[in-house]
Each structure stands twice: as structure tokens, then as C-alpha cells.
Amino acid sequence: MEQAVAAADTAWMLAAFAAVSLMVAGLALFYGGMVSVKNTLNMAMMVFGALAVVGVLWIIVGYSASFGDSLGGAGILGDPLEYFGSSKLLDAPSTPGLPPAIFSAFQLLFAALTVALIAGAVADRMKFGSWMTFAGIWALLVYFPVAHWVFAFDSKDGSVHGGWIANKLKAIDFAGGTAVHINAGIAGLALALILGKRKVFPNAPRPHSLPLTMLGAGILFFGWFGFNGGSALAAGNAASVVVLNTIAASCAGMIGWIVVEKFKEGHATSLGAASGLIAALVGITPACGAVSPMGALIVGAACGAVCCLAVSLKYRFGLDDSLDVVGIHLAGGILGTLLIGFLADGSAPNGVAGLFYGGGLDQLWRQTVAVLAVLTYTFVVTFAIAKVMQLFGGIRADDEAEDAGLDLAVHGETAYVLDHLTVPVAKHEPADAVTAAEAITTKAAAAVE
């Protein structure tokens, strides 16, 4: 059956999978640079830990629950036993198309990254063991069902039934505005509410390494072309349009954020540019197959500007969303998903017209219902999971661990070795020069801490 494999499409999906896999490291660096020096490794471990837990669950039951034949044809959950253990994914397709194994591997990364995104909302204060437990439960009860709603399409012959959002509501979500970003954003909100504020909030520590954050953003940017482009599932025009729309939105998003930031704060910062890039990528994720390049510019600029304003609301409402998961992923996901109802261009790959292109309000109400459904379901279930975990063992690190930093208290490691930080001083230099060098060393060590 090997000849049935569509070689070009399979090669594209293998490349897209490789690009998306780099997003795990990108997210770890992006988040790791934004926290204090004493919590850098903990953030990386939360991201990689999510990959480990969700990956195992995906192989066992996740693919089946997400893409199996819908139980009772209701569009709520795929049959968890249909592909249990993933052994049925070993065979090549009977007709020319993608091997199911690469599709499953690609979607595994979607699931893992969605869970990993939530970690940014609870940085610096959640027990690592509780995080790993939460990641597994949340994937089972929230991500897998919602992924079925959004990503599982009915088979062409009608023998396999998919999710209700994709097939009955017919809302457009090309690569995960609802299933990934709104899902993670509203979960981050619920979990942050249960955990409570960090002891230092609202005077949170400044990002300890903005170069790391910029590097992480750049890696995420690279991976996002696989994330969005790979969701076309073929090497063709649709993937090409998606890639063009993705980079168009990215450029506009950075400009939108730093312009608003300049007016608000008086500075256009590197953190703002990185955040604007991510906000735009979040917004264009659902819309990349539905809008024109001009529409992509609008989506990107709008998400950059709106998310910049949304991030500042956490201080007004006293919500300790540590790394702006709510302000960027929730706000950007909602905006990008709803803008499809206005900006969808019938000539784009999705082939649907929005309000501004003569389609009336039809697509807008579909997008709105999809957003509200995911918001409601995910918030309620996430809040319940976190509340039960809090009652049975707690989920927040103790005060001593929070003060010392989770890197050392939980993992027994530090991201940087500071005890060898010195400034060489020649023997013939006067005493005041030695004193000055010692002062510089002391200040440098303090700055890193």
C-alpha cells in the first residue's frame, strides 16, 4: 500500500511537524526569559513536562478521542477505543493521501503546546507535580473533546462523524483559534484564579533575559509556519496562502503593539515587539485560510494593538496572569476568530465570505457561538479540576519555595552559575581600582539575581 501515499504532501507534513516540534523549545525560552532568574528552569520544565504527559496520553487515547468516530454521532467526543494505543495508525492509506501516523504526530504537538501555553499564567507559584497532574487531566477532559469539536471533520462518504463545531455549526478555525488559543487562555484564567496572586504581585520581577525571550519568539515565529501551513494538510496553494497571510499578520502585529506601547508608556520595547509578534500569530491562526493578505494585515495590527491594551487590564482587575497568557492568547484568539466573520474573503482557501465581502452576518454568528462554547466549557471544567486538586493536596508551592525560587526548591538546579562571576584585576593596579572592580562584580551579580 506504500504507493498510495501522496509523497509531496507527506514530505510537507514531515517538514511542518519538524518546524512545530521546535516550538516546544521556543516556548520554553520565551517564557523562561520572562521570569526571574530563579524560576527559569521551572518554566522550561513545565513546558517540556506538558509535552511528555500529553504525548503519552495522545498515543494511548488522545488521537482516538479527538479524531475517532463521534460517539453516537453527537459531535462531542470521538470513540476513545477506536484507535486505542494508536496501533491502527501503522497502515498506509488505502487511497492516495497522508499516512495517518504523520497526521497523528502533527496533532500530538498541537495538544502538547496548548497545555504548555497555560503554564505561563501560573509561573513562579505552582507545584511541579501538581502541574504534571493537571496537564494530564486537562488534556483528557478539555483538550481532547474540544479538539474533536473543532478539528474532526465528517468523512466524505459519511461513514465517520466528526465534531459539532466543524460540521454542524461550520465555524471556521483553520489552525486552532478556539481549540488552542482561546482554550489555553481561558484555562489560564481559571487556574490563575484558583492559585491566587504571587506574593510580589503587582510588583512582579522584571524579565531576567529579554534576549532569551526574543530568541524564543523567533523560534516560535519559525515554527508557526509549520503550525498554520501544515494545517492545510497538503503541499499546495492553500498552504502557500496561509504562509503569506501568517507573515503579513506578524509584521503588522509587531507594529500595532509597539505603536500603542509608545503612546502608553513612552517606549517601544523589545518585549513589546516579541509580544506583538505572538499576539498577531495567535490572531491569524484561525483566520489564515479565510482572509486575504490585506485582511491578514488588519487581523495582525488589531491583535497587536488590542492585546497590548488587554495585558494591562490584569493590574486593574488584580489577576496575576504571570506571562500574559490571558492578555495575548485569550484576547488574540477571540479577536482573530471573530474577525473572520467580518474579513473572510470568498476567494481565500476556506471559500467563505464575511460581512465586509457580501456574506452578511451568517459567518459572524457561527464564529461567535464557537467562541462562547469553548469559553464556557473550558472555564467551567478547568475551574472544577483546579478546585478539586486544591482540596486534595493543594496545587500552590509553599512560601519558602516561592521565595527561594522553584528552580532550586523543586528541581535542585539553577539556570546560571553565579559564584564564579569575577572581574580580573592586575596586581599593579591601585587599591581604588580593586575596590571599583569588586563593586562592579557585586552589582552584576545582584542584577542577575
Side-chain angles (χ1 to χ4, degrees):
M1 288 294 183
E2 191 67 29
Q3 69 275 9
V5 172
D9 294 341
T10 302
W12 165 236
M13 290 304 299
L14 288 167
F17 169 82
V20 177
S21 70
L22 278 177
M23 295 177 76
V24 177
L27 185 62
L29 292 173
F30 182 74
Y31 279 170
M34 290 174 68
V35 296
S36 68
V37 69
K38 61 185 182 181
N39 290 308
T40 304
L41 294 177
N42 179 252
M43 283 311 310
M45 284 293 289
M46 291 178 83
V47 171
F48 278 85
L51 170 65
V53 171
V54 177
V56 169
L57 291 175
W58 182 266
I59 295 298
I60 297 171
V61 73
Y63 178 82
S64 193
S66 300
F67 293 99
D69 192 14
S70 189
L71 291 173
I76 303 299
L77 183 69
D79 183 353
L81 301 179
E82 183 177 359
Y83 297 98
F84 187 83
S86 298
S87 59
K88 288 185 179 179
L89 304 181
L90 300 180
D91 296 332
S94 57
T95 58
L98 287 177
I102 186 57
F103 177 74
S104 178
F106 185 68
Q107 287 294 331
L108 181 157
L109 291 175
F110 274 54
L113 285 163
T114 302
V115 177
L117 287 174
I118 303 170
V122 296
D124 302 346
R125 63 196 189 278
M126 188 170 183
K127 292 179 181 179
F128 182 67
S130 297
W131 165 252
M132 297 288 278
T133 303
F134 171 85
I137 296 172
W138 192 86
L140 287 168
L141 299 184
V142 179
Y143 184 80
F144 298 160
V146 174
H148 183 73
W149 301 356
V150 176
F151 292 145
F153 288 90
D154 296 342
S155 62
K156 293 181 180 179
D157 61 6
S159 61
V160 177
H161 299 91
W164 71 275
I165 287 180
N167 302 287
K168 296 176 182 177
L169 182 63
K170 298 188 183 302
I172 293 173
D173 187 351
F174 196 86
T178 52
V180 176
H181 298 293
I182 294 175
N183 213 4
I186 194 64
L189 172 61
L191 192 55
L193 288 173
I194 294 294
L195 271 174
K197 307 171 188 175
R198 287 170 291 181
K199 294 172 64 178
V200 296
F201 186 82
N203 300 313
R206 292 187 303 172
H208 89 277
S209 179
L210 288 173
L212 274 187
T213 294
M214 293 290 283
L215 175 60
I219 295 173
L220 288 171
F221 178 54
F222 171 80
W224 227 292
F225 291 106
F227 198 92
N228 286 358
S231 294
L233 303 181
N237 185 66
S240 303
V241 171
V242 164
V243 165
L244 177 61
N245 283 340
T246 299
I247 194 168
S250 302
C251 297
M254 285 188 281
I255 293 173
W257 187 295
I258 62 177
V259 166
V260 172
E261 186 179 47
K262 176 66 175 177
F263 278 103
K264 283 178 75 264
E265 311 293 342
H267 302 282
T269 67
S270 59
L271 181 59
S275 299
L277 170 64
I278 301 303
L281 288 166
V282 168
I284 200 60
T285 293
C288 55
V291 300
S292 69
M294 284 299 298
L297 290 179
I298 295 171
V299 170
C303 287
V306 170
C307 290
C308 182
L309 296 171
V311 162
S312 62
L313 293 177
K314 67 182 181 181
Y315 300 107
R316 178 177 297 180
F317 294 108
L319 173 70
D320 192 3
D321 170 25
S322 306
L323 306 183
D324 305 326
V325 176
V326 177
I328 292 178
H329 293 276
L330 179 58
I334 291 173
L335 186 57
T337 302
L338 293 180
L339 282 176
I340 294 171
F342 296 95
L343 299 172
D345 186 335
S347 61
N350 281 125
V352 173
L355 179 62
F356 296 162
Y357 286 79
L361 297 173
D362 182 67
Q363 196 59 43
L364 180 58
W365 78 260
R366 298 176 190 276
Q367 302 301 119
T368 303
V369 171
V371 167
L372 292 175
V374 175
L375 282 174
T376 303
Y377 176 79
T378 301
F379 180 84
V380 170
V381 178
T382 305
F383 194 90
I385 293 169
K387 195 66 176 176
V388 171
M389 289 183 65
Q390 185 184 52
L391 294 174
F392 293 93
I395 57 176
R396 179 161 179 159
D398 58 38
D399 289 349
E400 185 178 352
E402 188 173 344
D403 290 337
L406 301 182
D407 286 4
L408 192 59
V410 176
H411 307 290
E413 301 173 301
T414 57
Y416 305 97
V417 178
L418 303 178
D419 55 340
H420 297 299
L421 184 62
T422 59
V423 178
V425 180
K427 292 183 178 180
H428 64 272
E429 289 183 343
D432 59 343
V434 176
T435 303
E438 292 175 345
I440 291 171
T441 302
T442 302
K443 289 180 179 180
V448 174
E449 292 176 348

